[in-house]
Structures are given as C-alpha cells and as structure tokens.
Amino acid sequence: MISSKEMHNTCHMSDKCIKYNECPMVLVQKILSGKRKIMILWYLSGKILRFNDIKRRLPDVTQKMLTQQLRSLEEDHLIFRNVYPVVPPRVEYGLTELGEKIIPLLEMMHGFGAEYLELNLKNNNDVGMRKTN
Amino acid sequence: MISSKEMHNTCHMSDKCIKYNECPMVLVQKILSGKRKIMILWYLSGKILRFNDIKRRLPDVTQKMLTQQLRSLEEDHLIFRNVYPVVPPRVEYGLTELGEKIIPLLEMMHGFGAEYLELNLKNNNDVGMRKTN
DNA sequence: CTGAATCCCTCGCGATACTG
DNA sequence: CAGTATCGCGAGGGATTCAG
C-alpha cells in the first residue's frame, strides 16, 4: 500500500510525473473545472433528473450553457444521458458507475464548504460576492 | 451527529437551502472552479513556493493568468502571500490555516483521478484531449 | 420538452512592454 | 524576480429563433 504522502509527491511535475497529462490531479482539474460541473454532479448524486429539473436548480444558467456542461460531463463518462423517444421529449441524466465514485468526494466538499462558511460567519468575510474566479 | 446523507439533501435548492448563496456546495463550486486552482492548491500542499516555482510547474500558463488565479485564492483566504522587501523581489505563497483544511480533499481527488485513469487505460478513452470544459 | 443553430458582443486571455 | 499596464484578437456566453 502506497501512502497518501507518496502518492502526493508523484504528482508534482518536477518530481515523478513524467507526462503532465497522465497526472491524476491534472485529470481531476480538467474534469471539475467547469463552472457548474460540481453542482450538476452534486444534484445528480443518487438521483436521476430531467433536463429542466437540473436547470431549475441552477439559477442564471442558460439552456445553451447547461447543455454544454452536460455534454462535457457525458464525454468524460461521469454522467449518462437517456433519451426517451416520446412526445414531448423526455431526457434523463444520472451518474454513471464511474460518476458514482465521485460522490464521496462531493460529500467531503460539502463538509469543507460548511466548515468554511462557519469560519466565514465569524470573520465577516464575503467569498460569494466576487465576479469571477 | 448529522449523517452525510442528511447533509447532502439540505444542500439542494428545492429542499432546504433557502438562500442559494449560503449553500456549502455553491461555495465550493465558486472557490474551485478556476482553471488552475486545484493544481495550485495541490502544489502548495505542505510546501511554500515562490512565484516562479509555481509557474514552472504549470505548463502553458502565462504570468498574467497565474497572478489572477493566485489573487483569487488569496481573496478566498485559502493561500497567503508573503512579500520580502529585498532585491531581487522574493514572494512566497503557501496554504493558510483554512487552506490546509482542503488537503484531505485534494488527496481524495488524487485517488479518484488515479482510479479514473486506470479505467481509462482499459477502455482506451481520452479525457485530456478536449479543448475546454 | 429538449435541444440545435444564428447572431452578436463582451471580456478572457495572450503578447508585449515597462517598473521597483 | 515578480509583478503592473496596455492593446488586440477570438472564444465564451447571452438572447433569440427554429426543430423534432
């Protein structure tokens, strides 16, 4: 069994990750760096939702942008897309088997976010008020 | 003690998160959705690095973009920035106490990325070849 | 209902030059 | 070395329309 610390070090460019594109962290960075990816995955955790179900939960997202994010997640095999040939059309999204493996990560994110908020309340900071990343 | 599942549900817009901006997941989404944030935090885990140390580890990042990402992380109090008034200038970056709390998350990301890569090798997929998110 | 396709414009981002 | 400042292009993303 390789320790977490060892794993960590192998991922630094200057250390053992010969090819940058084979680094697990680079992969995760790419997969998650969409503007709504984390929220979408979170909403799909343990559920299957239709397009508008997701859209309704994401304030200020346009149909075009949401479609893009969903396509991207689908390309990465984290979510599946099921089209029912009925009228009106019915399209369902859910986590793939691979996608489900990210749920513990999402839950830990939630824990971190809660911890962060708690500290934030005490210090009167305001993270959410900035414009971009 | 509240269960993970309960925590999870409280975060869905349609459920208990009255104010969207107070949802821990929305916060995490905002904090992490930068294009290089995860990699920067990862490189700073347990280390203190100078500007060029970070730049060297991030292929194809411009000085301008890196500065932006660093400023953003600093605003969110995840990293600190220490300027030494010497010549030539010396500026060091590292995780704050708050930032260090994200390390377990990063390590779990690494684990997920590794798992993902393993599956990817078997199925001959190619996540890293797309253009954007 | 769930898209795809256009139009159009902002601004993200790279390139370059300059400063303490 | 570690930045700011400026310019300029092209992609990102909004609004709207059309389609199955």
Side-chain angles (χ1 to χ4, degrees), chain B residues 15-54:
Chain B
D15 295 335
K16 307 224 188 71
C17 253
I18 313 297
K19 292 203 175 186
Y20 191 72
N21 282 327
E22 290 176 5
C23 172
M25 283 308 272
V26 173
L27 181 70
V28 172
Q29 172 73 83
K30 282 179 183 167
I31 288 179
L32 293 184
S33 52
K35 202 172 166 187
R36 318 263 183 177
K37 299 268 186 75
I38 294 176
M39 291 308 293
I40 293 174
L41 291 172
W42 179 246
Y43 287 141
L44 291 180
S45 294
K47 292 184 185 180
I48 291 181
L49 298 179
R50 299 181 59 176
F51 184 84
N52 272 339
D53 291 331
I54 303 173

Side-chain angles (χ1 to χ4, degrees), chain A residues 4 8 12 14 22 29 35 38-39 42 45 47 57 72 75-76 101 107 116-117 130 133, chain B residues 4 8 12 14 22 29 35-36 38-39 42 45 47 57 72 75-76 107 116-117 130 133:
Chain A
S4 163
H8 189 180
H12 287 188
S14 54
E22 290 176 4
Q29 171 74 83
K35 201 171 168 189
I38 293 176
M39 291 309 292
W42 178 245
S45 296
K47 292 184 185 180
R57 291 163 203 256
S72 176
E75 278 182 48
D76 291 343
K101 297 188 177 183
E107 287 174 341
Y116 190 111
L117 275 176
R130 290 194 336 281
N133 323 318
Chain B
S4 164
H8 188 183
H12 287 187
S14 54
E22 290 176 5
Q29 172 73 83
K35 202 172 166 187
R36 318 263 183 177
I38 294 176
M39 291 308 293
W42 179 246
S45 294
K47 292 184 185 180
R57 291 164 204 254
S72 176
E75 278 182 48
D76 290 342
E107 287 175 341
Y116 191 110
L117 275 176
R130 291 196 332 284
N133 324 319

Side-chain angles (χ1 to χ4, degrees), chain A residues 30-31 37 71-73 75-76, chain B residues 116 126-133:
Chain A
K30 282 179 182 167
I31 287 179
K37 298 271 186 75
R71 288 295 176 280
S72 176
L73 287 168
E75 278 182 48
D76 291 343
Chain B
Y116 191 110
D126 48 352
V127 169
M129 305 315 291
R130 291 196 332 284
K131 325 178 69 168
T132 81
N133 324 319

Side-chain angles (χ1 to χ4, degrees), chain A residues 72-103:
Chain A
S72 176
L73 287 168
E74 197 188 353
E75 278 182 48
D76 291 343
H77 308 96
L78 292 177
I79 69 174
F80 65 81
R81 175 171 176 266
N82 242 330
V83 183
Y84 296 85
V86 296
V87 42
R90 176 186 186 85
V91 182
E92 293 181 342
Y93 294 90
L95 295 187
T96 61
E97 194 176 348
L98 178 56
E100 284 177 355
K101 297 188 177 183
I102 216 179
I103 293 182

